Amino acid sequence: MKLSIVGSGYVGLVTGACFAEVGHSVICVDNDQSKVKQLQAGQIPIYEPGLEELIKKNVAAGRLTFTASIAEGVQNSEVVFIAVPTPPREDGSVDLSFIEKVAREVAAVLTEYRVIVDKSTVPVKTGDKVAQTIARYNKKKVEFDVVSNPEFLREGSAVADLMKPDRIVIGADSEKAVKTMRAIYEPFKAKILVTDLNSAELIKHAANSFLALKISYINALSAICEASGANVEMVADGMGADHRIGRAFLNAGIGYGGSCFPKDISAFIKISEELGYDFKLLKEVEHINAHQRERFLKKIRETLWVFKDKQIGLLGLAFKGNTDDVRSSVAIELAQQMLKEGAKIKAYDPKAMDKAAPLFKSKGFTMCASAEEVAEGADAIILATEWVDFKTIDWGSMASKMISPILFDGRNLLNPDKMSKFGYQYFSIGR
Ligand code: UDX
């Protein structure tokens, strides 16, 4: 099928590459000319495992092209996906101006029936607004349908998530559009769930909020474990073995970050409020998440006494492992707080250093070429991102480079007994 995708960010680019991989002809549209040129020259602006190979392969096969012209995309495809950013506003609500602009632009160049699909995460009832906008700005009064098809991919495993999804959600109020959407997803051999437009939009916010709730739940339990001498991992294993609960997303740590959870949870609270419901449960999820990093900082302060003039080694800057994304990264927020209190920080991340560098203006902050360099002369090391690479570091040699081997593991990545054997004073979360 002929498809176009407006917006070549994380979601748009990965979606475009995967659609091309299953045989569709895909035009990726982006209004950033320099990004389009970069993509046309074979340079991929984001790091995502497997993405570069996938894009190169499908560009070479002639199934994937890039353009800055929305008209070119809309006129040469049967279905137009919208995958533009929906950033948060100051008050936690969603800025839908990019979606609205694309809706107007699509409307202006619509000459025959098209299915217009929203892939960006949006509050419930946005699809109705998109349909109204297209109807208003589409002077030729061409027929069209609006569909909600939320994306559930995780950064770091986006290609794999998209190629083998748990489910595909298609929210539409038109049979014709559902038929077209089914045809697009037929090659993925995945479970397809057809709903009305509003329910599909709600599923995305509801699912992300539930996952964040799981994380905050285990993080709250980690505080109880610390106070009672229980082990949060054992508790999570015991709970997770119940198939109704499941073990996934029960890893205690310094809290969730990233470009999705923080913004989606506050957006869901906000839209619920607008709809007349005070979602106190989700407000508490946010509160626990913020409190978790405070608890972690308190633990560090209690051990080091003061941050001023302390040399802190920071392992991890990305918001989670396997990504270069530093948006709403708890690691960065922790670093900024410690710098504010006078600490000096030497940091290392396998992939996120380029993206993190502009966020640090302080002279007290330096990037290192390796984990070993981070340990050199450090008063303590903080592990803030769950990179598997950090498991295989030579922790014995790291200890010998430090002033005194103190390690705060904010992701429960390492084995406490092993770390004690290396001579560390080792602190983790809830165990
Ligand atoms: C998330 C959703 O998983 C995905 O379905 C949606 O489309 C976008 O938002 P992503 O933001 O890429 O994906 O990251 P995810 O792997 O879900 O992790 C989010 C945050 O939660 C990270 O900061 C991670 O460190 C943290 N986390 C995750 C925990 O603290 N504990 C866990 O058990 C799992």
Side-chain angles (χ1 to χ4, degrees):
M1 295 180 72
K2 289 181 167 176
L3 314 174
S4 63
I5 301 177
V6 183
S8 300
Y10 270 102
V11 171
L13 204 54
V14 181
T15 307
C18 292
F19 279 160
E21 177 67 10
V22 298
H24 300 308
S25 282
V26 182
I27 307 172
C28 285
V29 183
D30 203 285
N31 63 1
D32 180 345
Q33 297 266 6
S34 65
K35 190 189 257 186
V36 172
K37 283 212 178 89
Q38 216 185 335
L39 285 162
Q40 284 168 338
Q43 290 156 9
I44 316 304
I46 54 167
Y47 169 73
E48 194 58 53
L51 182 63
E52 190 166 348
E53 297 85 320
L54 210 62
I55 292 181
K56 290 202 164 133
K57 180 180 160 200
N58 284 285
V59 166
R63 285 191 299 263
L64 186 59
T65 55
F66 305 98
T67 178
S69 158
I70 211 161
E72 190 185 323
V74 173
Q75 272 147 21
N76 297 298
S77 54
E78 307 155 69
V79 181
V80 182
F81 287 84
I82 304 177
V84 292
T86 49
R89 289 207 201 95
E90 279 283 305
D91 67 351
S93 65
V94 183
D95 176 0
L96 292 166
S97 60
F98 296 106
I99 299 259
E100 192 267 352
K101 186 161 176 273
V102 171
R104 275 187 286 125
E105 287 170 349
V106 169
V109 294
L110 215 54
T111 49
E112 53 187 317
Y113 175 79
R114 293 288 180 264
V115 178
I116 292 126
V117 186
D118 176 45
K119 253 211 176 296
S120 307
T121 302
V122 293
V124 60
K125 296 180 101 59
T126 300
D128 289 347
K129 289 267 189 337
V130 168
Q132 282 161 18
T133 304
I134 297 176
R136 193 175 304 143
Y137 288 89
N138 158 26
K139 295 276 177 262
K140 299 200 173 87
K141 299 295 162 214
V142 177
E143 196 200 337
F144 68 92
D145 279 311
V146 170
V147 170
S148 165
N149 172 219
E151 188 44 70
F152 300 100
L153 57 81
R154 288 163 301 174
E155 287 180 26
S157 57
V159 172
D161 286 349
L162 222 141
M163 294 306 287
K164 280 195 180 310
D166 283 349
R167 78 309 204 181
I168 308 278
V169 174
I170 298 172
D173 300 323
S174 133
E175 270 307 310
K176 189 173 166 186
V178 170
K179 211 171 144 213
T180 306
M181 293 302 292
R182 278 190 188 278
I184 295 174
Y185 282 107
E186 202 277 325
F188 292 88
K189 306 280 174 242
K191 178 177 174 182
I192 294 180
L193 222 96
V194 176
T195 70
D196 58 89
L197 199 54
N198 289 337
S199 301
E201 289 171 336
L202 206 54
I203 285 169
K204 175 64 192 248
H205 268 159
N208 270 4
S209 299
F210 194 80
L211 291 169
L213 181 141
K214 270 188 108 173
I215 298 171
S216 279
Y217 188 81
I218 201 69
N219 281 339
L221 278 179
S222 76
I224 307 294
C225 288
E226 283 168 26
S228 64
N231 181 321
V232 76
E233 277 189 343
M234 292 178 187
V235 175
D237 287 345
M239 283 171 61
D242 183 330
H243 74 275
R244 295 170 303 175
I245 298 173
R247 179 62 176 84
F249 276 72
L250 286 180
N251 295 321
I254 45 179
Y256 60 78
S259 65
C260 293
F261 284 175
K263 123 176 138 69
D264 290 355
I265 282 78
S266 53
F268 198 25
I269 291 171
K270 203 75 196 166
I271 184 75
S272 302
E273 202 175 286
E274 280 167 31
L275 294 167
Y277 184 75
D278 182 7
F279 219 143
K280 287 194 184 127
L281 178 65
L282 291 184
K283 289 180 180 167
E284 192 54 28
V285 167
E286 283 186 328
H287 175 75
I288 294 169
N289 199 51
H291 185 58
Q292 195 67 358
R293 89 192 54 158
E294 285 311 316
R295 288 198 329 106
F296 190 61
L297 277 169
K298 188 166 168 244
K299 218 180 274 185
I300 306 172
R301 278 192 208 102
E302 274 167 8
T303 311
L304 299 184
W305 194 11
V306 280
F307 274 125
K308 195 165 179 330
D309 300 330
K310 294 281 153 50
Q311 177 77 53
I312 306 286
L314 180 66
L315 289 178
L317 292 161
F319 83 95
K320 64 171 189 178
N322 252 344
T323 179
D324 65 346
D325 198 343
V326 294
R327 288 177 289 176
S328 298
S329 167
V330 182
I332 304 263
E333 286 160 16
L334 284 174
Q336 277 160 349
Q337 182 57 35
M338 291 186 289
L339 286 169
K340 217 191 257 172
E341 294 181 36
K344 294 189 174 62
I345 296 184
K346 292 211 306 190
Y348 170 74
D349 187 287
K351 286 270 186 270
M353 295 201 286
D354 287 352
K355 290 207 169 142
L359 304 175
F360 293 98
K361 305 273 178 265
S362 159
K363 280 206 176 69
F365 184 90
T366 43
M367 293 287 192
C368 295
S370 66
E372 285 70 26
E373 209 181 309
V374 155
E376 212 74 63
D379 292 287
I381 288 181
I382 296 176
L383 195 162
T385 306
E386 61 272 46
W387 276 103
V388 278
D389 309 39
F390 296 155
K391 280 192 181 183
T392 51
I393 289 176
D394 182 347
W395 284 102
S397 139
M398 296 276 281
S400 66
K401 293 190 169 81
M402 298 175 69
I403 289 192
S404 109
I406 305 176
L407 176 56
F408 296 92
D409 180 354
R411 297 293 182 178
N412 288 355
L413 199 75
L414 306 168
N415 181 304
D417 293 338
K418 254 196 198 159
M419 291 303 126
S420 296
K421 280 193 192 122
F422 285 134
Y424 284 97
Q425 200 181 339
Y426 175 79
F427 300 87
S428 54
I429 311 281
R431 51 174 207 175

